[in-house]
Amino acid sequence: MSELLERDRKYVWHPFTQMKTAGDALPIVRAEGSYLYDENGKSYIDCNSSWWVNVHGHGHPHIQQALAEQFKTLDHTLLAGVTHPKAVELAERIVGILPEKFTKVFFSDNGSTAIEVALKMVFQFWYNKGVDKKRILALDGAYHGDTFGAMSVGQRSYFNAPFEHFFFDVDYLDFPFKNKEEEVLQQAEAFLKTGEFAGIIVEPLVQGSGGMRMYSPEFLNKLTLLAQEHDALVIFDEVMTGWGRTGKMFSMDHIDAKPDIVCLSKGLTAGALAMGLTVATERLYEGFLDDDKVKALLHGHSYTGNPVTCAVACANLDLFEKPELKENLARITASHEAFKAANDKHDKVNEIRITGTIMALEIETGEGNTYFSNIRDEAYNFFLENGMLLRPLGNIMFLNPPYCTTNEELQYCYDKIMEFVEKV
Ligand SMILES: *Cc1c(COP(=O)(O)O)cnc(C)c1O
């Protein structure tokens, strides 16, 4: 074992990891573009953009420069009673790229906190008005993060079983598989027409951690309108689907209806620093304006609106304005589509699903999809040996690569995925 791994064993408690049985961590010392490099110099294609974060790959010079310059000018200040140019610029630009109804940006630290803030906004909006709406709807299979509010609205499972008795009550809709859309809309209507629902939260178009499950824009559009008809506030958790992942900047850009709140993180800072944003409409914001101080949104974190992080997010927005970006999204989607066309009928492939730059291949196992299925570990190790960092979700092999990933690199990944499928 290398010295780094020995020290890791001694001191580091890894996320989502059974430390007793886990093998050695992968000792990554450097990264560039779509590659990570270990301490022996071996390279790995970053197939899932380091947890869906590094949308432009690693070490982009424009991001590096923004980070360094801002750190020299203004490293940090609190945001309560204080403002600074980069927070203002970022908020202004985020509002600028979102549909017109979004007007106010609330800063926090990651995807989970963006969700916590959204939930607090929804519950307090009705509380401030003295309206008795306390229930919330979510989708079966949802993942919204690992803090308590976010866990509460997520799928109840062995991941959060020890805490379940602390969660607030949530009503779940079945997952809107193509042949179940009408039925799920009827379920939604039955809930919503009670008038008791404060809001509804969904991962729009694609459930990430729940297994890259995809549903139609038509359903999303109808559900959003239905909720709003019954005056339930709609939260889109675009933490994973945002930043070009679905082929457009945001999932909501695929539909006409728009949510009342959107949560952003992950690709927001392109892998340089952590930040979450909760963006609200003017109507929502106005629900907190009052002469009474306790009607304010009394929430904040030490690093709220950190200037360096804001500068990085602004630099990320610059990169999204470049024409190459759109070209890359279209190129990766087309590449996934060609792979699907060639392999969809394979007898060991249950399904290949694509939404924009996300490709998910479900291996036929005959035993359903479980995170702990043995295939997962076998696949993970097979890909590592072959120079790919790809974390399958159970029997689901998926790619959501950095947008700089070349066609040759994608082809290599497809070939290795099919080589593994053949072995099963
Ligand atoms: C990752 C993720 C979160 C949580 O974000 P963290 O930054 O990990 O706290 C929330 N929602 C979705 C859809 C995610 O993919």
Side-chain angles (χ1 to χ4, degrees):
M1 201 191 292
S2 74
E3 188 232 14
L4 179 64
L5 287 175
E6 263 172 45
R7 283 158 55 215
D8 175 82
R9 270 282 168 212
K10 202 161 169 195
Y11 299 111
V12 182
W13 192 344
H14 289 266
F16 294 114
T17 304
Q18 175 45 266
M19 299 302 296
K20 180 171 179 187
T21 53
D24 289 336
L26 184 65
I28 295 295
V29 293
R30 187 170 79 77
E32 197 179 336
S34 44
Y35 289 92
L36 299 157
Y37 297 87
D38 74 11
E39 59 182 356
N40 303 312
K42 178 169 173 167
S43 66
Y44 303 85
I45 299 178
D46 192 358
C47 298
N48 303 139
S49 302
S50 287
W51 263 349
W52 326 340
V53 163
N54 284 76
V55 284
H56 310 295
H58 295 268
H60 196 291
H62 186 62
I63 304 266
Q64 287 181 342
Q65 191 191 352
L67 192 154
E69 276 175 15
Q70 184 58 41
F71 194 70
K72 283 186 235 159
T73 317
L74 172 65
D75 54 354
H76 185 61
T77 161
L78 75 171
L79 202 68
V82 176
T83 192
H84 60 81
K86 284 296 172 187
V88 174
E89 180 188 338
L90 179 59
E92 199 169 44
R93 291 176 71 179
I94 289 286
V95 165
I97 60 168
L98 285 169
E100 215 173 319
K101 73 190 282 201
F102 292 98
T103 58
K104 293 292 186 294
V105 177
F106 196 96
F107 295 86
S108 67
D109 296 344
N110 53 59
S112 302
T113 56
I115 298 293
E116 296 293 329
V117 169
L119 293 170
K120 286 174 86 167
M121 281 179 181
V122 162
F123 291 130
Q124 193 179 341
F125 176 82
W126 298 113
Y127 177 91
N128 281 356
K129 280 189 188 307
V131 174
D132 188 26
K133 280 177 180 278
K134 297 203 182 75
R135 294 172 73 182
I136 189 138
L137 258 183
L139 280 190
D140 175 74
Y143 176 78
H144 296 292
D146 287 335
T147 50
F148 271 82
M151 283 195 292
S152 291
V153 289
Q155 172 74 38
R156 308 291 162 93
S157 74
Y158 39 73
F159 279 81
N160 49 40
F163 322 109
E164 204 171 314
H165 58 293
F166 292 112
F167 296 166
F168 52 77
D169 288 338
V170 175
D171 291 288
Y172 292 92
L173 299 174
D174 289 348
F175 186 81
F177 291 108
K178 195 76 206 152
N179 58 354
K180 277 194 75 169
E181 289 183 357
E182 275 313 310
E183 192 185 325
V184 179
L185 286 169
Q186 282 165 16
Q187 281 178 1
E189 186 162 23
F191 279 124
L192 290 163
K193 74 181 180 199
T194 61
E196 293 167 1
F197 282 79
I200 173 167
I201 180 166
V202 296
E203 290 157 90
L205 299 186
V206 186
Q207 286 187 333
S209 304
M212 293 293 152
R213 298 205 291 181
M214 302 176 184
Y215 60 95
S216 78
E218 294 75 29
F219 174 86
L220 181 63
N221 198 56
K222 284 184 187 162
L223 181 67
T224 304
L225 291 174
L226 185 65
Q228 288 169 342
E229 233 170 76
H230 292 91
D231 220 4
L233 297 164
V234 179
I235 304 170
F236 276 11
D237 173 357
E238 296 238 23
V239 169
M240 191 281 285
T241 55
W243 310 103
R245 265 300 151 213
T246 64
K248 298 194 185 215
M249 191 63 164
F250 301 110
S251 274
M252 74 172 89
D253 298 335
H254 293 268
I255 61 172
D256 294 329
K258 303 298 170 199
D260 302 284
I261 299 181
V262 56
C263 300
L264 304 173
S265 189
K266 291 205 163 106
L268 164 67
T269 45
L273 291 163
M275 173 178 268
L277 297 178
T278 309
V279 191
T281 61
E282 198 63 15
R283 174 187 178 218
L284 206 105
Y285 175 73
E286 282 175 357
F288 291 75
L289 303 181
D290 201 279
D291 294 327
D292 186 351
K293 277 186 185 164
V294 301
K295 290 202 171 172
L297 182 59
L298 300 172
H299 184 104
H301 302 274
S302 325
Y303 282 90
T304 300
N306 171 265
V308 183
T309 317
C310 288
V312 161
C314 288
N316 182 35
L317 283 170
D318 297 341
L319 297 178
F320 274 93
E321 285 169 6
K322 295 200 183 296
E324 306 90 275
L325 197 280
K326 269 209 175 96
E327 288 162 24
N328 277 335
L329 299 185
R331 177 180 60 79
I332 293 172
T333 304
S335 171
H336 285 345
E337 296 285 359
F339 169 69
K340 175 181 158 85
N343 296 284
D344 215 9
K345 298 282 179 288
H346 194 288
D347 56 357
K348 287 182 185 163
V349 174
N350 200 14
E351 186 182 42
I352 297 176
R353 306 187 276 272
I354 296 167
T355 300
T357 67
I358 308 168
M359 187 288 293
L361 179 149
E362 194 170 313
I363 297 179
E364 179 60 57
T365 60
E367 53 179 76
N369 321 327
T370 62
Y371 185 84
F372 294 120
S373 103
N374 290 336
I375 285 189
R376 189 243 164 239
D377 293 346
E378 256 176 68
Y380 179 72
N381 290 326
F382 173 84
F383 294 128
L384 279 189
E385 278 161 29
N386 286 285
M388 291 161 62
L389 181 58
L390 189 161
R391 279 177 67 91
L393 293 157
N395 59 333
I396 296 155
M397 312 294 122
F398 68 98
L399 296 175
N400 49 3
Y403 305 144
C404 60
T405 308
T406 65
N407 286 349
E408 292 69 32
E409 288 156 3
L410 287 171
Q411 192 56 51
Y412 178 83
C413 295
Y414 302 140
D415 290 347
K416 288 296 163 192
I417 289 173
M418 289 316 294
E419 196 178 319
F420 180 77
V421 168
E422 287 292 346
K423 271 167 39 100
V424 173

